[in-house]
Coordinates of all heavy atoms in Angstrom, one line a residue:
D94 N -22.2 70.1 -46.2 CA -21.7 68.8 -45.7 C -22.7 68.1 -44.9 O -23.6 68.8 -44.1 CB -20.5 69.0 -44.7 CG -19.3 69.5 -45.6 OD1 -18.9 69.1 -46.6 OD2 -18.8 70.6 -45.1
I95 N -22.8 66.8 -45.0 CA -23.7 66.1 -44.2 C -22.9 64.8 -43.6 O -21.9 64.3 -44.2 CB -25.0 65.6 -44.9 CG1 -24.6 64.7 -46.2 CG2 -25.8 66.7 -45.5 CD1 -25.7 64.2 -47.0
L96 N -23.4 64.4 -42.5 CA -22.9 63.1 -41.9 C -23.9 62.1 -41.8 O -25.1 62.3 -41.4 CB -22.5 63.4 -40.4 CG -21.1 64.3 -40.2 CD1 -21.0 64.4 -38.8 CD2 -19.9 63.5 -40.8
L97 N -23.6 60.9 -42.3 CA -24.6 59.8 -42.4 C -24.0 58.7 -41.6 O -22.9 58.4 -41.4 CB -24.7 59.3 -43.9 CG -25.1 60.3 -44.9 CD1 -24.9 59.8 -46.3 CD2 -26.5 60.7 -44.6
E98 N -24.9 57.9 -41.0 CA -24.5 56.6 -40.2 C -24.9 55.4 -41.0 O -26.1 55.4 -41.5 CB -25.2 56.6 -38.9 CG -24.5 57.7 -37.9 CD -25.1 57.5 -36.5 OE1 -25.6 56.4 -36.2 OE2 -24.9 58.5 -35.7
A99 N -24.1 54.5 -41.2 CA -24.4 53.3 -42.0 C -24.1 52.1 -41.2 O -23.1 52.0 -40.4 CB -23.7 53.3 -43.4
S100 N -24.7 51.0 -41.4 CA -24.3 49.7 -40.8 C -23.9 48.7 -41.9 O -24.3 48.8 -43.0 CB -25.6 49.1 -39.9 OG -26.6 49.0 -40.8
V101 N -23.1 47.8 -41.4 CA -22.5 46.9 -42.4 C -23.5 45.8 -42.5 O -24.2 45.3 -41.8 CB -21.2 46.1 -41.8 CG1 -20.6 45.1 -42.6 CG2 -20.1 47.3 -41.6
D102 N -23.5 45.4 -44.0 CA -24.3 44.2 -44.3 C -23.5 43.0 -43.9 O -22.6 42.7 -44.6 CB -24.6 44.4 -45.8 CG -25.5 43.1 -46.2 OD1 -25.3 42.0 -45.8 OD2 -26.5 43.4 -47.0
F103 N -23.9 42.3 -42.9 CA -23.0 41.2 -42.4 C -22.8 40.1 -43.5 O -21.7 39.6 -43.7 CB -23.8 40.6 -41.3 CG -23.1 39.5 -40.6 CD1 -22.0 39.6 -39.9 CD2 -23.5 38.1 -40.8 CE1 -21.3 38.6 -39.2 CE2 -22.8 37.1 -40.3 CZ -21.7 37.3 -39.4
F104 N -23.8 39.6 -44.3 CA -23.6 38.6 -45.2 C -22.8 39.0 -46.4 O -22.0 38.2 -46.9 CB -25.0 38.0 -45.7 CG -25.7 37.2 -44.6 CD1 -26.7 37.8 -44.0 CD2 -25.2 36.1 -44.1 CE1 -27.5 37.0 -42.9 CE2 -25.8 35.3 -43.2 CZ -27.0 35.9 -42.5
N105 N -23.0 40.2 -46.9 CA -22.2 40.7 -48.0 C -20.7 40.9 -47.5 O -19.7 40.8 -48.3 CB -22.7 42.1 -48.7 CG -23.7 41.7 -49.4 OD1 -24.0 40.7 -49.9 ND2 -24.6 42.8 -49.7
S106 N -20.6 41.2 -46.3 CA -19.2 41.4 -45.8 C -18.4 40.1 -45.6 O -17.2 40.0 -45.9 CB -19.1 42.2 -44.3 OG -19.7 41.4 -43.4
I107 N -19.1 39.0 -45.3 CA -18.4 37.6 -45.4 C -17.9 37.4 -46.8 O -16.8 36.9 -46.9 CB -19.6 36.6 -45.0 CG1 -19.8 36.7 -43.5 CG2 -18.9 35.1 -45.3 CD1 -21.0 35.9 -43.0
G108 N -18.6 37.7 -47.8 CA -18.2 37.4 -49.2 C -16.9 38.4 -49.6 O -16.0 37.8 -50.1
F109 N -17.0 39.5 -48.9 CA -15.9 40.5 -49.3 C -14.7 39.9 -48.6 O -13.6 39.9 -49.2 CB -16.2 41.9 -48.7 CG -15.0 42.8 -48.7 CD1 -14.4 43.3 -49.9 CD2 -14.3 43.2 -47.5 CE1 -13.3 44.2 -49.9 CE2 -13.3 44.0 -47.4 CZ -12.8 44.6 -48.7
F110 N -14.7 39.5 -47.3 CA -13.5 39.0 -46.5 C -13.0 37.7 -47.1 O -11.9 37.5 -47.0 CB -13.7 38.9 -45.1 CG -13.8 40.4 -44.4 CD1 -15.0 40.9 -43.9 CD2 -12.7 41.1 -44.4 CE1 -15.0 42.1 -43.4 CE2 -12.7 42.5 -43.8 CZ -13.9 43.0 -43.3
A111 N -13.9 36.9 -47.6 CA -13.5 35.7 -48.3 C -12.7 35.9 -49.5 O -11.6 35.3 -49.7 CB -14.7 34.8 -48.7
D112 N -13.1 36.8 -50.3 CA -12.4 37.3 -51.5 C -11.1 37.9 -51.1 O -10.1 37.6 -51.8 CB -13.2 38.3 -52.4 CG -14.3 37.7 -53.1 OD1 -14.4 36.5 -53.1 OD2 -15.2 38.4 -53.6
L113 N -11.1 38.8 -50.0 CA -9.9 39.3 -49.6 C -8.8 38.4 -49.2 O -7.6 38.4 -49.3 CB -10.1 40.3 -48.4 CG -9.0 41.1 -47.9 CD1 -8.4 42.0 -49.0 CD2 -9.4 42.0 -46.8
A114 N -9.2 37.3 -48.5 CA -8.4 36.2 -48.0 C -7.7 35.5 -49.3 O -6.6 35.1 -49.2 CB -9.2 35.2 -47.2

Side-chain angles (χ1 to χ4, degrees):
D94 295 310
I95 59 175
L96 287 176
L97 304 170
E98 288 188 18
S100 57
V101 173
D102 183 315
F103 181 73
F104 291 108
N105 281 342
S106 65
I107 291 172
F109 170 72
F110 287 114
D112 287 350
L113 183 61

